[in-house]
Amino acid sequence: MPPLLDGLRILVLEDEFLIAMDVEQLCRDYGAGDVIVARDLAEIDRQSVASQFDAAIVDLMLGGASTLDFASRLRESGVPFVFASGYSDMDEIRVSFPDVRLVTKPYSGDDLVQAVAAACGRGPVV
């Protein structure tokens, strides 16, 4: 596999255990240096996200709570990210985050990795 995520420190916000584990392994397979999975926003030190991570994969809903405010803080901090979600109301995402890729569930691993790589400037924009 090409090292599209070579050395990146990636935050994965995903509350479904099996999906989170698959995404973590996928990132490692593509060269990520460190992958941290958080199932709840309370698990994250929001003040130091920009210094801890190079990129993030964000589910739109964690345990019924929206992650849009957190995504706004990622954008303000300059941390590239993609949304990975099965959330059905995409209009708000397209309006609030027009430049952020949404990878819809179920997604292929290649689609997700390519979206993260593109967000980090490491591949073609998809």
Side-chain angles (χ1 to χ4, degrees):
M1 289 183 204
L4 291 173
L5 306 180
D6 194 32
L8 292 179
R9 298 165 300 160
I10 299 176
L11 171 63
V12 177
L13 293 179
E14 174 59 65
D15 58 353
E16 294 184 39
F17 180 77
L18 292 178
I19 293 173
M21 295 301 99
D22 284 346
V23 171
E24 178 182 14
Q25 188 59 53
L26 181 69
C27 291
R28 291 185 191 286
D29 289 347
Y30 278 87
D34 196 15
V35 182
I36 302 298
V37 175
R39 298 182 65 200
D40 187 296
L41 289 173
E43 297 176 27
I44 303 163
D45 179 358
R46 297 179 193 194
Q47 303 305 316
S48 61
V49 168
S51 65
Q52 292 179 354
F53 301 103
D54 301 308
I57 299 168
V58 180
D59 191 350
L60 290 170
M61 300 294 286
L62 290 181
S66 172
T67 60
L68 293 179
D69 287 342
F70 182 78
S72 292
R73 284 194 289 279
L74 285 174
R75 180 173 52 194
E76 290 165 7
S77 298
V79 177
F81 65 96
V82 299
F83 288 114
S85 185
Y87 187 63
S88 60
D89 184 11
M90 300 306 162
D91 289 339
E92 182 178 5
I93 305 311
R94 289 187 183 108
V95 170
S96 299
F97 299 92
D99 297 329
V100 177
R101 171 84 190 272
L102 170 66
V103 183
T104 56
K105 293 178 185 175
Y107 47 76
S108 78
D110 287 344
D111 286 346
L112 184 62
V113 168
Q114 289 171 4
V116 173
C120 294
R122 293 184 170 204
V125 176
V126 288

